[in-house]
Amino acid sequence: LCLIMCVVLCLLGLPMCTQSGIYVFVLWDTFSVALPLLFIGVAECIVVAWFYDLEKFCEDIEYMTGSQPNIYWKICWKFVSPTLVTVILVASLVKQWYQRRVRGVL
């Protein structure tokens, strides 16, 4: 399985090592990476902080490291991070919609 993954990822990376590799990378980055990662980031923040329960998560961290995270991290994980990632996601969606609208695709 490891060998198969290495070969497949190597083959996917080869076009990025050519003269036009930056164009392939920009296409890959623009259309396949940004939005799915933002969706995953929002889902992860919400699931860990709200559904799994932040206190339970902090107890797990205490079990692994020996100390509880301070209040700064708890506030960031519960409120700041989900809000910021959601704002970035919405801004990215609006930007893509606006660019398509300006180009006349819609």
Side-chain angles (χ1 to χ4, degrees):
L1 181 65
C2 184
L3 179 65
I4 293 169
M5 286 299 295
C6 288
V7 170
V8 168
L9 292 176
C10 181
L11 291 174
L12 286 174
L14 280 177
M16 295 182 201
C17 298
T18 63
Q19 292 265 338
S20 61
I22 192 65
Y23 301 113
V24 175
F25 175 76
V26 168
L27 283 172
W28 179 267
D29 186 48
T30 303
F31 295 107
S32 69
V33 179
L35 286 179
L37 281 179
L38 286 172
F39 278 117
I40 291 169
V42 169
E44 185 177 342
C45 288
I46 291 172
V47 166
V48 169
W50 294 93
F51 293 111
Y52 183 71
D53 191 33
L54 187 61
E55 287 306 316
K56 194 173 181 183
F57 183 64
C58 289
E59 289 171 6
D60 292 342
I61 291 175
E62 183 179 15
Y63 175 74
M64 291 184 282
T65 63
S67 63
Q68 279 251 350
N70 63 22
I71 191 72
Y72 169 79
W73 291 109
K74 292 178 183 181
I75 291 171
C76 282
W77 290 331
K78 188 106 176 176
F79 303 107
V80 177
S81 295
T83 304
L84 289 178
V85 177
T86 303
V87 166
I88 293 169
L89 175 64
V90 169
S92 296
L93 289 171
V94 168
K95 179 182 172 188
Q96 281 192 356
W97 175 80
Y98 181 73
Q99 286 176 343
R100 287 182 182 169
R101 184 101 167 145
V102 167
R103 284 189 248 144
V105 174
L106 276 177

